[in-house]
Amino acid sequence: MRVRTRAIVAVGVVFAVVALLGVWVVVRQLGGQLRLPVASRTCTVQADGTVVLDADQMANAATIAAIGIQRQMPERAVVVALATAYQESGLRNLAGGDRDSVGLFQQRPSQGWGTPEQIRDQRYAANRFYAALKKVRGWEKMRVTDAAQAVQRSAFPTAYQKWADESEVLTRALLGEATGAVACTVGRTPAMRGEAAAAALTRGLALDWGLSGTGTVAALTGLTVPAADRRDGWRYAHWLVSHAPDHGVKRVRFAGLEWTAEDGTWAKVSDGRPADAQVLAEVFAEG
């Protein structure tokens, strides 16, 4: 009886080891593209299609899109950039990769992209990608994967195309072509609160969008962002929601709609303020 029990236990151990090895292989193969569900920090983007990302991926996507617009690149460039980052890192700011590759776009210091520290800066990496893409003759008329490959020179030149649809959905939302299109859930313990959160948002808006006209709100612990038109307003509103989990954003209001961290969704609201003149953002108070 003991022999039999030992045999069963041994077989169970073998199966467990095999299962763990299988998980390890999958993780090695998918790398940054492996996206596990994170119940309290998930973002859903809906703009003629649906994309679900975790909080880090969403913030990175929003920054990539904003840098493209700040550089006055066309919408197509943002699609190409997002598809590239999807394939290279799963929209994650990786500390390493193949050989000396680093960051969102897996750029290599040995190939002149910058120092590892520079490339780990999402804004620096995005700026370098757009600058390189702009030098590719005729990239605007290329397929997404061909334009990306002209910059990246990957061993898998067609791999970027599989992310084209997701990247187009993200681009439509993040460039303000859809209303209330980015909705994120925020955990009960925000990473930042109070003045530190408001200051971080102001700095992020300046770096990503080149905005310097944000102001503080007396009644809210937060800020206001002037919007020239509805499209700009939704760009900034979606950016704020995209960065909500890592910047302690509690509420975003624009054009008669309001997103709240408590519900994680957009709903109609009316408070007598100009609907399209500015975006309001409130952060979690110190507590």
Side-chain angles (χ1 to χ4, degrees):
M1 195 67 179
R2 288 182 182 176
V3 172
R4 218 172 148 188
T5 302
R6 288 174 183 171
I8 292 172
V9 171
V11 170
V13 170
V14 170
F15 275 117
V17 171
V18 170
L20 287 172
L21 285 173
V23 171
W24 180 83
V25 169
V26 170
V27 172
R28 291 282 294 178
Q29 290 295 320
L30 296 180
Q33 297 171 22
L34 182 64
R35 291 172 291 181
L36 299 178
V38 182
S40 63
R41 289 168 55 87
T42 301
C43 297
T44 301
V45 182
Q46 294 183 317
D48 293 332
T50 302
V51 172
V52 178
L53 301 175
D54 68 25
D56 292 336
Q57 291 173 309
M58 191 71 244
N60 288 330
T63 288
I64 290 171
I67 293 297
I69 297 305
Q70 186 182 167
R71 293 183 63 92
Q72 299 183 333
M73 296 293 285
E75 181 176 318
R76 181 72 170 175
V78 176
V79 174
V80 174
L82 288 171
T84 302
Y86 248 126
Q87 171 60 24
E88 296 290 353
S89 68
L91 288 171
R92 301 185 189 283
N93 193 18
L94 302 179
D98 180 45
R99 287 171 283 190
D100 60 336
S101 299
V102 180
L104 283 170
F105 298 92
Q106 288 292 277
Q107 295 155 332
R108 297 180 60 189
S110 63
Q111 294 184 347
W113 287 98
T115 66
E117 292 74 19
Q118 288 174 320
I119 298 172
R120 282 296 305 281
D121 182 311
Q122 296 97 317
R123 297 172 179 105
Y124 173 92
N127 269 299
R128 288 301 306 271
F129 179 85
Y130 285 121
L133 178 64
K134 193 173 183 179
K135 293 178 182 178
V136 176
R137 185 176 301 226
W139 70 266
E140 300 93 335
K141 297 180 180 179
M142 295 179 181
R143 290 190 307 158
V144 168
T145 197
D146 295 333
Q149 173 64 5
V151 175
Q152 299 295 108
R153 302 184 184 280
S154 168
F156 305 96
T158 63
Y160 305 101
Q161 194 65 33
K162 66 176 174 281
W163 302 110
D165 291 344
E166 288 90 339
S167 298
E168 288 174 358
V169 172
L170 289 174
T171 298
R172 283 192 291 270
L174 294 171
L175 268 56
E177 295 178 8
T179 297
V182 178
C184 297
T185 59
V186 179
R188 296 181 179 179
T189 55
M192 305 181 74
R193 290 177 176 269
E195 292 183 8
L201 284 175
T202 301
R203 180 174 180 271
L205 286 163
L207 292 173
D208 281 11
W209 291 103
L211 294 179
S212 58
T214 57
T216 57
V217 183
L220 302 175
T221 306
L223 51 91
T224 60
V225 185
D229 52 38
R230 286 178 68 91
R231 187 178 187 185
D232 275 356
W234 282 116
R235 287 176 176 179
Y236 306 147
H238 290 156
W239 184 94
L240 287 161
V241 174
S242 297
H243 285 274
D246 58 349
H247 282 72
V249 180
K250 182 179 181 180
R251 188 186 316 274
V252 176
R253 184 177 299 172
F254 179 67
L257 292 176
E258 181 180 79
W259 167 90
T260 61
E262 181 178 359
D263 295 330
T265 58
W266 290 89
K268 290 183 179 181
V269 64
S270 177
D271 61 0
R273 296 175 183 271
D276 300 336
Q278 60 187 6
V279 182
L280 299 178
E282 178 187 359
V283 298
F284 285 92
E286 297 284 359

